[in-house]
């Protein structure tokens, strides 16, 4: 084999093992579900991770620290709302940290997190839970392959983990 070793660049599909540590605590890692697979340059993963990956080869590892600007953004202190408890259907588990899928008047979906449950109101946080946080990643590139034309067209990687029935 004398072909040039493929490195991470736009329109490659990267298979990545990672551990995410925030404020000294491991909050996510690919160990349980196996490595993640994504289309580099498509925004499937945060900008800071993409930036660190450019030029890496298969088998290479790195420790990186991603600032909020290239992670989940700064926290917006205004992005909280008090919603009467009575407006929540009983099947919704109102516990701190629970993620809710909501729909606005235009039908657009957005996410919120339960920040606090009081006697009569629930305080929702519309920030991403990692907004404003410095993210420490330990990453290992497991595999790199060129993306297919279909993946580039869709803007995401297709793998056996990835199911979508709304586009094809
Ligand atoms: Zn697709």
């Amino acid at each position: 084999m004398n072909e040039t070793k493929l490195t991470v660049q736009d329109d490659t599909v990267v298979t990545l093992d990672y551990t995410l540590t925030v404020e000294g605590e491991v909050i996510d890692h690919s160990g349980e579900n196996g490595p993640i697979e994504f289309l580099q340059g498509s925004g499937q993963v945060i900008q800071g991770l993409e930036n660190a990956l450019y030029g890496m080869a298969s088998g290479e590892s790195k420790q990186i620290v991603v600032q909020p600007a290239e992670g989940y953004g700064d926290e917006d202190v205004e992005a909280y709302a008090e919603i009467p408890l009575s407006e929540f259907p009983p099947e919704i588990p109102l516990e701190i940290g629970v993620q809710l899928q909501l729909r606005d008047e235009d039908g657009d979906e957005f996410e919120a997190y339960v920040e606090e449950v009081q006697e009569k109101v629930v305080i929702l946080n519309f920030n991403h839970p990692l907004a404003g946080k410095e993210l420490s990643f330990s990453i290992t590139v497991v595999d790199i392959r060129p993306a297919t034309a279909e993946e580039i067209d869709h803007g995401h990687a297709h793998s056996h983990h990835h199911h979508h029935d709304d586009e094809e």
Side-chain angles (χ1 to χ4, degrees):
M1 293 237 301
N2 58 356
E3 68 184 70
T4 312
K5 202 173 183 190
L6 189 60
T7 55
V8 176
Q9 54 192 284
D10 285 344
D11 299 338
T12 57
V13 171
V14 180
T15 305
L16 190 75
D17 255 324
Y18 71 95
T19 300
L20 169 58
T21 306
V22 175
E23 291 160 359
E25 200 179 324
V26 172
I27 62 159
D28 194 16
H29 66 100
S30 53
E32 284 161 27
N33 302 314
I36 53 167
E37 208 176 332
F38 58 89
L39 178 63
Q40 174 77 359
S42 69
Q44 270 194 280
V45 296
I46 57 169
Q47 191 62 53
L49 205 46
E50 284 197 345
N51 289 349
L53 281 163
Y54 282 112
M56 284 180 76
S58 188
E60 221 178 302
S61 295
K62 231 185 216 183
Q63 308 277 343
I64 58 165
V65 176
V66 176
Q67 299 303 322
E70 291 195 331
Y72 293 95
D74 287 316
E75 182 169 41
D76 178 359
V77 294
E78 313 254 293
Y80 290 86
E82 273 191 18
I83 314 288
L85 207 50
S86 56
E87 285 189 22
F88 291 89
E91 66 270 21
I92 292 183
L94 291 176
E95 286 156 27
I96 291 167
V98 166
Q99 183 184 336
L100 304 175
Q101 292 284 348
L102 304 171
R103 223 174 257 279
D104 67 15
E105 292 132 20
D106 300 324
D108 291 325
E109 278 194 6
F110 62 99
E111 289 169 1
Y113 298 84
V114 175
E115 182 75 17
E116 211 179 311
V117 182
Q118 298 178 355
E119 202 179 328
K120 290 190 171 145
V121 296
V122 175
I123 298 173
L124 294 184
N125 181 356
F126 300 98
N127 287 292
H128 190 280
L130 294 176
K133 307 278 192 208
E134 195 177 82
L135 313 170
S136 300
F137 284 96
S138 170
I139 56 175
T140 300
V141 176
V142 177
D143 191 36
I144 306 165
R145 64 170 171 84
T148 64
E150 193 187 44
E151 287 173 320
I152 293 168
D153 185 46
H154 284 188
H156 55 229
H158 289 165
S159 66
H160 53 282
H161 298 298
H162 174 73
H163 304 284
H164 60 77
D165 35 38
D166 54 345
E167 294 167 274
E168 282 165 349

